[in-house]
Amino acid sequence: MTLAVRVIPCLDVDRGRVVKGVNFENLVDAGDPVELAARYSEQGADEITFLDVTATVDDRQTTFDLVRETAENVFIPLTVGGGVRSVADVGALLEHGADKISVNSAALQRPSLIDDIAKHFGQQVCVISIDAKRDSSTPSGYGVTTHGGRRSAGVDALEWARESTNRGAGEILLNSIDADGTQEGFDVSMIGDVRAVSSLPLIASGGAGAAHDAVGAVVAGADAVLAASIFHRDKVSIQDVKNALRGAGAVVR
């Protein structure tokens, strides 16, 4: 059976507001996260991803009350990330209504966190978020970054995707820092290269500018497409993306 390609709006949240920038910089206000999540749910989004983009930078936890309020207003899977450092953090977010948890910096610092989350809550709960950018100093040419793309983790992105898969992650959220916010299309070569080293469901993020960009990402190997700017600015609707995918022969809900 062919699985449906998921279309996922992303809410990058900073201190209770949705924000958006280019290459993770110059963030501007894009609205209220609860209102946006409810709107996207009504418009046919398959999931919502909620990323607290400054929790790690500010060394604080994700805003639990905001997660709960969002979960109470949407009835599709909710993935939450940002500032997740422990199994206890994961448990608290699940109790507040999250369905899946995205981890990045903490897993890089302590890779066994992936094993621990899978063991305690099941593989399907753990989404490994990889903020990757081109880096000629790494074997694959892709390096992993942290702190919203601000710092190199000194880790090869393809090797990290492979290790995360082996440790029990449930899916990979691949964000191209090079493409983020540019609206010039998904990073299809990066998607293809990660697809080659991992069999996990792969969510493509970074660079969506038009509905048909999703088709390129899926052809390259993505199982889902995630976008923020084009949805927040009403440039493209969720149904526009699904129609483009359907027109290219993909299965969508």
Side-chain angles (χ1 to χ4, degrees):
M1 186 180 80
T2 304
L3 292 176
V5 176
R6 291 167 287 152
V7 179
I8 307 173
C10 182
L11 308 179
D12 292 326
V13 178
D14 179 17
R15 296 170 186 83
R17 299 291 292 178
V18 176
V19 295
K20 194 58 200 158
V22 177
N23 304 125
F24 277 73
E25 295 178 347
N26 304 316
L27 301 178
V28 295
D29 190 285
D32 177 78
V34 179
E35 289 175 9
L36 281 174
R39 189 172 94 200
Y40 293 143
S41 179
E42 289 167 5
Q43 290 175 354
D46 296 301
E47 298 182 13
I48 298 285
T49 292
F50 178 115
L51 300 177
D52 192 324
V53 294
T54 53
T56 296
V57 178
D58 296 345
D59 193 27
R60 61 175 171 76
Q61 292 182 312
T62 298
T63 317
F64 291 113
D65 291 344
L66 201 51
V67 171
R68 174 186 279 134
E69 196 178 348
T70 304
E72 287 171 351
N73 283 272
V74 300
F75 305 100
I76 52 177
L78 176 64
T79 299
V80 178
V84 177
R85 299 176 183 84
S86 66
V87 166
D89 290 342
V90 174
L93 285 167
L94 294 176
E95 286 173 10
H96 281 75
D99 298 285
K100 295 186 277 190
I101 307 301
S102 171
V103 290
N104 181 352
S105 301
L108 285 161
Q109 291 163 3
R110 184 169 66 85
S112 61
L113 178 61
I114 299 170
D115 309 66
D116 294 344
I117 294 171
K119 183 174 132 192
H120 280 83
F121 306 106
Q123 186 176 0
Q124 77 286 348
V125 164
C126 185
V127 180
I128 190 72
S129 179
I130 303 178
D131 290 344
K133 69 190 301 185
R134 278 163 181 74
D135 182 348
S136 59
S137 70
T138 62
S140 71
Y142 302 110
V144 179
T145 68
T146 62
H147 296 76
R150 294 176 182 87
R151 295 185 199 170
S152 168
V155 174
D156 183 278
L158 296 193
E159 187 50 47
W160 180 231
R162 194 181 284 113
E163 180 179 350
S164 300
T165 302
N166 293 338
R167 284 184 176 275
E171 58 186 0
I172 292 173
L173 169 54
L174 177 67
N175 187 43
S176 170
I177 298 296
D178 299 316
D180 177 74
T182 63
Q183 298 189 29
E184 293 173 359
F186 289 97
D187 197 328
V188 292
S189 58
M190 183 186 285
I191 293 166
D193 289 340
V194 172
R195 173 81 292 158
V197 301
S198 175
S199 59
L200 292 180
L202 180 59
I203 306 166
S205 170
H212 69 261
D213 288 338
V215 176
V218 171
V219 169
D223 300 286
V225 290
L226 179 146
S229 301
I230 58 170
F231 296 142
H232 300 341
R233 294 168 185 158
D234 295 321
K235 181 178 179 183
V236 175
S237 74
I238 291 160
Q239 289 306 317
D240 289 339
V241 175
K242 291 194 172 187
N243 289 339
L245 287 165
R246 197 178 284 115
V251 176
V252 295
R253 291 191 185 93

